Amino acid sequence: MFDVAIIGAGVVGAMVARELAKYQLKIILLEKKNDVAMGASRANSGIVHAGYDCAPGSLKARLNVEGAAMMEEVCKTLGVKFKRNGSLVIGFDEEDRKGIEKLMEKGKANGVEVQFLDQTGVRALEPNIGGNVTCALYAPTGGIVCPYDLTIAALGNAMDNGAELQRNFPVSAIEKIDGGYRISSENGEVKARFVVNCAGLYSDEIAKMVGDDSISVHPRKGEYILLDKECGGLVSNTIFRTPSKMGKGILVSPTVDGNLLLGPTSVDKEDKEDKDTTEGGFAEILSKAKEYVENLHAGKAITSFCGLRAVGNTGDFVITSRSPGFVNAAGIESPGLSASPAIAKYIAEMLKEQGLELVENPAHIATRVSSHHFRDASLEEKNAMIRENPAYGRIICRCEGVTEGEILDAIRRNPGATDLDGVKRRTRAQMGRCQGGFCMPYVTELLAKELGIAYEDVTKCGGESLINVEKTKGGMAQ
Amino acid sequence: MRDLVIIGGGPAGMSAAIAAYEQGVRDILILERDESLGGILQQCIHNGFGLHKFGEELTGPEYAWKYEQKVRELNIETKCNTMVLDITEDKVITATNAQEGIFQLQAKAIILAMGCRERSKGALNIAGSRPAGIFSAGTAQKFVNMKGYLPGKNVVILGSGDIGLIMARRMTLEGAKVHAVCELMPYSGGLARNIEQCLNDFNIPLKLSHTVVQIHGKERLEGVTIAQVDENRRPIDATREFIPCDTLLLSVGLIPENELSKAAKVDLSPITNGAVVDQDRQTSIPGVFACGNVLHVHDLVDFVSEEAEIAGKAAAAYIKGNTGKKVEIPVKTDGKVRYTVPQVITVKKDITLYFRVGSVYKNVRVNVTAGDKVILSRKRPKVAPGEMESVTIKAELLENVESLTVSLEVL
């Protein structure tokens, strides 16, 4: 029996695993997909919110501010890129000004550093913001992070400390047994003394399995467009419009990897699997983003994608326990990424109160080698690494300059990539301007070789997402 | 210090190397990122190469092999599996490979011959999901011809570029069903002969003024919705049609790969996406030359080889110290002619101007004017964006000329 089973390998599940792996505990993380960070943690804005816009006194406000304060150190420890680039909430009319003034008050109540800028102040900070801007809230502590890099690194660290990851484990039933729970899936069952439900959009359904009907979660669709690195310098802060009740609106932000991100749209849906981008979505993102950032060119788009936020029905994070030893982390919408390290601490504390012994593991490894360790190295260091392992000298992805050595690391290190998208998220191979046009056949080959599977069995993202369907006539003859 | 470093060992790089050697340059190095020379020709196993150059129909690998043999015969040094990471204005090249690690070279002259890449799906912003089964046509070609795997059985192709047309036939020959080739424009961007031999001969419908508006499927592609577009290229809702398929191939344009040229601060043309060059294919940086698909996308490799010979010879002359620019005659275009290569003439000699038109025109006259004087005029029954055109101007016509304009007159 495991001490703790965590359901869902998104950023919250991964952070909980990392936190609990500091102690002498047997931990398993159960993920229904073929890789980690496959839900909202894969497709969101990647913003570490300063914490100025949560309702003062809410759990969201508390954990946002705490999490954002922890984030820089967490990222440093885990080798994840983090940049405190600052956030700007810009306004164009009198109503916006009122909204910004309200935000200023909230920010101060939440203990966040906020400044009011007039037009000159905004334009001095961001020359590419449209000339009709009138004012802005400036939060210098706002930051950016790569959400799936953070998830992979947090879970990788937990696994380096002994936590297990069970992929392709869609939980179908949970049963209370003596001293814990039995969690069943089509691919087997797992018993654990404590369970943490971090199932994102499905956290309501998981809670229902133990008779807890108190949670309701629905998807809010958010479409994004990612622009070429040529556009990454158009703005340096994350630029928000004055918020509405549907969220923070379309933002324009540099990413830690140097691209420019536009989005998200915000549409409430019922279908928890509908990640389709839409023609209307593209048009909305581009027209709104162009309203406030000049020199944006749609032709520089290299990809578009859609994420589903798990929106709860209380307006706050729902971190509850209605069944002994069973904790829910539900409705973790924005600023869930920013709050994730604090959510993990909060949940560890809840588990402790319920009787989980947190005895420190003396052999605990706090740090993880960055997935950027090769590309961030100096010339001398790189050449030393190439001498040691010539695979670092072979470039596989020419657009992003990713080497064979880095791809092999991504497959071999915790949690190892087992499909093309997994390699992409860990290394950026196939993520550049040609979007895998050149390197996909090579990455396929490396995956097949490393995993010991047939070339035609390599998938894009698990399941039925096969890349090739059969051998050609010539291929069969060989 | 190396005399001549050539970035790219495809048809352009090899041809340039041979031409430079024949002009007496001996210290030549070709840097190639792939495991062998030949570039994209290695995966082009269909025939049709070499008709202009050798008067015979060769496959891509056969065409490449003619040049590779010559490179070997002349003992021109090559480094394969070597990726160039950076080029500076001062011609310092940084490259990496498994044996030497990251190393730097100083070159007297550089020839850029990196080729081009396919425009990706991301640039198109097609609505819908992002399942497996969507490939650029060249990636599918690599899987089928180089790796021996078929990426799908029921295919729709978006874009009628030549690789898409070739792959329509190739997938059909491998037993796949190609349901349609959709082309956004009212005309194809591919060669007429490819439409005949790759689509018509196999009864594959070419749907002009059509595009893919929606992608369906969770894990593997399950189908696409296509639609006709109006004259503003906007989809017409009433014409939406679902086609079940497991594969979508994209052949929606080629983009010269000029990231290194940008690093070296070479002036680029916003129309070709390649360097601005003179008749010697010299870029804005003296001693840096460009040729082949990195300069502008060609229809036929034969013309790539010819262009590379020009660059190779000129690089040899530069290395020997013959660098003097004599004049500066800009070559302009009117609206119907999209671009010319070269874009500037610096020496008054016989010069062939290559150009592409922006749309299909029938019964036209190509006029080259200097000031208000037409110095050359050539009739063409039909011109199309998919077929590169050229006119040759004799040296004597360039006397007293300060600028040239290439224009199209519809008769």
Side-chain angles (χ1 to χ4, degrees):
Chain A
M1 186 178 286
F2 288 92
D3 292 311
V4 184
I6 301 162
I7 302 171
V11 71
V12 175
M15 280 292 182
V16 171
R18 168 183 176 266
E19 182 63 29
L20 295 178
K22 294 172 182 169
Y23 306 102
Q24 295 179 29
L25 295 171
K26 211 164 166 270
I27 301 160
I28 188 161
L29 211 145
L30 306 172
E31 168 55 47
K32 74 171 173 175
K33 299 275 191 177
N34 193 44
D35 200 1
V36 309
M38 291 294 282
S41 304
R42 170 172 73 165
N44 64 71
S45 310
I47 309 300
V48 178
H49 293 285
Y52 48 77
D53 67 343
C54 299
S58 65
L59 191 57
K60 254 189 192 176
R62 176 187 150 189
L63 295 177
N64 182 171
V65 173
E66 281 179 22
M70 294 162 73
M71 192 60 83
E72 188 161 11
E73 185 57 30
V74 168
C75 287
K76 208 170 135 192
T77 314
L78 293 175
V80 172
K81 277 191 200 165
F82 168 83
K83 193 174 172 195
R84 207 174 282 288
N85 66 321
S87 294
L88 271 180
V89 185
I90 57 174
F92 293 96
D93 52 31
E94 201 42 45
E95 207 174 312
D96 286 351
R97 179 183 287 268
K98 281 180 199 153
I100 285 171
E101 281 164 359
K102 264 190 211 146
L103 267 188
M104 294 280 299
E105 282 164 30
K106 271 192 195 174
K108 283 172 191 159
N110 291 341
V112 178
E113 183 189 348
V114 285
Q115 299 167 23
F116 186 85
L117 300 181
D118 61 8
Q119 188 188 48
T120 323
V122 181
R123 301 269 289 168
L125 213 54
E126 292 289 359
N128 282 315
I129 286 185
N132 49 349
V133 66
T134 53
C135 60
L137 172 151
Y138 175 46
T141 56
I144 47 177
V145 69
C146 172
Y148 44 82
D149 191 20
L150 181 63
T151 307
I152 290 163
L155 187 56
N157 172 253
M159 291 170 79
D160 291 346
N161 286 302
E164 291 177 35
L165 168 66
Q166 178 83 51
R167 306 172 203 233
N168 301 305
F169 195 96
V171 173
S172 52
I174 304 173
E175 192 192 333
K176 181 89 187 77
I177 54 170
D178 194 23
Y181 293 87
R182 186 199 333 265
I183 307 166
S184 311
S185 145
E186 62 197 37
N187 291 325
E189 58 172 52
V190 163
K191 290 179 207 161
R193 292 166 56 214
F194 292 83
V195 179
V196 186
N197 167 15
C198 304
L201 266 177
Y202 292 88
S203 51
D204 51 351
E205 290 170 35
I206 296 291
K208 282 193 188 106
M209 291 179 191
V210 289
D212 179 356
D213 289 332
S214 67
I215 296 171
S216 165
V217 174
H218 76 270
R220 182 172 291 164
K221 229 172 140 166
E223 295 180 41
Y224 292 90
I225 299 175
L226 190 73
L227 303 191
D228 193 285
K229 287 182 175 177
E230 280 179 35
C231 311
L234 272 182
V235 295
S236 63
N237 290 265
T238 300
I239 315 295
F240 299 91
R241 269 303 310 267
T242 314
S244 72
K245 65 172 186 296
M246 280 301 280
K248 302 180 183 82
I250 305 279
L251 63 83
V252 176
S253 181
T255 69
V256 276
D257 294 300
N259 297 85
L260 194 73
L261 184 67
L262 316 179
T265 56
S266 185
V267 182
D268 284 321
K269 292 294 226 187
E270 280 172 17
D271 184 350
K272 292 183 175 181
E273 293 296 321
D274 172 15
K275 292 182 193 169
D276 283 8
T277 55
T278 61
E279 292 162 57
F282 296 139
E284 185 190 340
I285 295 168
L286 285 171
S287 71
K288 290 202 175 150
K290 281 179 176 172
E291 272 175 27
Y292 42 97
V293 177
E294 291 170 349
N295 305 313
L296 267 185
H297 298 293
K300 295 290 177 192
I302 59 169
T303 190
S304 53
F305 56 91
C306 175
L308 297 173
R309 307 84 116 195
V311 181
N313 55 345
T314 64
D316 205 348
F317 293 158
V318 180
I319 304 180
T320 54
S321 180
R322 300 271 178 113
S323 183
F326 192 103
V327 173
N328 300 302
I332 313 290
E333 51 174 322
S334 178
L337 175 68
S338 322
S340 60
I343 294 174
K345 286 235 181 266
Y346 188 85
I347 288 174
E349 203 53 43
M350 280 174 83
L351 292 171
K352 189 180 170 189
E353 280 167 19
Q354 298 206 11
L356 182 69
E357 323 71 24
L358 299 185
V359 181
E360 276 187 26
N361 173 12
H364 177 255
I365 309 155
T367 56
R368 182 179 190 266
V369 174
S370 168
S371 53
H372 315 279
H373 77 288
F374 180 77
R375 63 174 54 206
D376 290 345
S378 70
L379 186 65
E380 291 71 28
E381 291 168 335
K382 278 183 181 166
N383 274 333
M385 278 190 260
I386 295 169
R387 273 193 299 278
E388 184 92 358
N389 176 7
Y392 286 120
R394 277 191 288 275
I395 302 263
I396 301 291
C397 165
R398 57 173 84 163
C399 301
E400 293 290 316
V402 183
T403 66
E404 184 182 315
E406 292 166 279
I407 294 172
L408 293 176
D409 286 346
I411 301 171
R412 290 171 184 167
R413 288 211 305 164
N414 285 326
T418 60
D419 52 39
L420 285 172
D421 283 356
V423 169
K424 175 161 87 174
R425 282 188 293 274
R426 285 163 180 80
T427 64
R428 296 189 61 77
Q430 316 163 70
M431 210 177 258
R433 38 181 74 94
C434 95
Q435 292 281 298
F438 284 112
C439 67
M440 192 194 291
Y442 296 101
V443 179
T444 305
E445 198 167 304
L446 290 173
L447 274 167
K449 213 182 277 176
E450 279 295 304
L451 301 174
I453 61 174
Y455 194 87
E456 65 266 42
D457 289 339
V458 173
T459 65
K460 179 176 186 284
C461 50
E464 298 301 311
S465 66
L466 292 167
I467 297 299
N468 289 286
V469 296
E470 62 184 37
K471 283 187 172 157
T472 59
K473 293 168 190 172
M476 274 188 285
Q478 273 174 8
Chain B
M1 171 78 88
R2 303 294 299 242
D3 280 350
L4 177 58
V5 179
I6 298 173
I7 320 292
M14 289 195 288
S15 173
I18 293 163
Y21 186 94
E22 284 170 350
Q23 296 296 310
V25 182
R26 290 293 174 268
D27 180 17
I28 304 173
L29 172 64
I30 300 177
L31 299 175
E32 166 56 42
R33 59 188 157 207
D34 215 333
E35 59 195 1
S36 60
L37 297 177
I40 209 69
L41 285 178
Q42 296 289 21
Q43 66 185 59
C44 299
I45 63 168
H46 51 285
N47 58 359
F49 300 91
L51 273 170
H52 290 258
K53 194 82 190 148
F54 300 110
E56 56 176 327
E57 274 208 80
L58 303 170
T59 65
E62 282 170 342
Y63 187 97
W65 179 236
K66 277 186 181 279
Y67 283 88
E68 185 174 345
Q69 270 178 310
K70 187 88 181 168
V71 166
R72 303 284 173 227
E73 216 175 277
L74 300 176
N75 271 321
I76 293 171
E77 191 187 347
T78 61
K79 284 184 199 284
C80 288
N81 288 313
T82 302
M83 176 85 186
V84 175
L85 303 170
D86 187 45
I87 304 175
T88 69
E89 272 174 285
D90 306 321
K91 307 192 193 75
V92 175
I93 296 161
T94 307
T96 179
N97 65 33
Q99 291 74 39
E100 294 160 275
I102 300 166
F103 58 93
Q104 291 197 323
L105 293 169
Q106 170 76 59
K108 271 189 204 159
I110 293 175
I111 296 178
L112 305 169
M114 295 88 80
C116 59
R117 67 165 173 268
E118 297 177 280
R119 194 181 297 279
S120 75
K121 168 186 166 277
L124 304 178
N125 274 345
I126 306 173
S129 54
R130 298 190 301 153
I134 304 168
F135 308 94
S136 62
T139 308
Q141 189 177 46
K142 180 122 192 164
F143 277 125
V144 174
N145 293 350
M146 305 295 284
K147 303 285 176 189
Y149 291 94
L150 193 62
K153 299 282 278 182
N154 281 286
V155 186
V156 169
I157 299 178
L158 174 59
S160 59
D162 287 311
I163 312 173
L165 301 176
I166 295 288
M167 282 313 290
R169 176 175 67 184
R170 188 76 188 97
M171 298 289 283
T172 305
L173 292 174
E174 281 295 342
K177 169 84 184 151
V178 179
H179 296 274
V181 175
C182 296
E183 169 58 57
L184 181 69
M185 304 304 286
Y187 50 84
S188 168
L191 292 172
R193 75 173 198 210
N194 281 338
I195 293 178
E196 205 49 52
Q197 295 169 5
C198 300
L199 300 188
N200 297 348
D201 287 359
F202 294 88
N203 295 315
I204 298 168
L206 171 61
K207 290 174 174 280
L208 296 174
S209 297
H210 275 73
T211 192
V212 172
V213 292
Q214 180 96 21
I215 289 165
H216 307 267
K218 291 272 185 263
E219 293 181 341
R220 175 83 197 196
L221 185 67
E222 287 159 22
V224 296
T225 301
I226 67 165
Q228 199 178 333
V229 297
D230 63 20
E231 57 275 13
N232 298 317
R233 299 186 223 164
R234 284 180 195 278
I236 305 165
D237 271 346
T239 65
R240 288 170 80 103
E241 179 194 348
F242 177 77
I243 304 181
C245 59
D246 64 6
T247 308
L248 174 65
L249 298 188
L250 302 171
S251 181
V252 290
L254 298 170
I255 305 167
E257 284 224 284
N258 273 297
E259 280 64 40
L260 291 172
S261 321
K262 281 179 199 165
K265 300 193 174 68
V266 162
D267 285 351
L268 297 180
S269 153
I271 302 176
T272 59
N273 288 309
V276 173
V277 292
D278 65 15
Q279 72 289 333
D280 293 334
R281 305 303 184 267
Q282 181 165 243
T283 68
S284 57
I285 300 180
V288 177
F289 301 80
C291 57
N293 283 349
V294 78
L295 180 56
H296 59 136
V297 175
H298 295 65
D299 316 318
L300 298 175
V301 70
D302 307 61
F303 294 136
V304 167
S305 300
E306 279 178 17
E307 183 171 80
E309 285 167 25
I310 297 174
K313 276 183 200 165
Y318 175 87
I319 292 162
K320 288 182 208 155
N322 304 333
T323 58
K325 275 191 187 181
K326 292 170 185 73
V327 290
E328 177 115 9
I329 304 171
V331 184
K332 299 172 192 164
T333 60
D334 80 347
K336 295 191 182 74
V337 176
R338 287 188 62 229
Y339 74 85
T340 67
V341 166
Q343 292 95 340
V344 60
I345 294 169
T346 59
V347 176
K348 290 188 179 178
K349 59 183 181 185
D350 290 2
I351 279 162
T352 301
L353 293 175
Y354 294 87
F355 64 93
R356 274 186 202 275
V357 295
S359 189
V360 177
Y361 301 102
K362 282 184 181 161
N363 198 17
V364 296
R365 200 178 264 289
V366 179
N367 293 323
V368 181
T369 50
D372 48 10
K373 199 175 118 205
V374 177
I375 61 166
L376 188 80
S377 185
R378 293 279 180 274
K379 264 191 171 180
R380 295 279 194 278
K382 187 187 172 190
V383 290
E387 317 249 354
M388 198 196 295
E389 297 286 334
S390 68
V391 286
T392 300
I393 305 166
K394 291 279 175 206
E396 57 264 29
L397 290 174
L398 294 171
E399 274 171 38
N400 305 319
V401 162
E402 284 173 11
S403 86
L404 288 179
T405 301
V406 182
S407 63
L408 213 59
E409 182 188 345
V410 181
L411 301 173

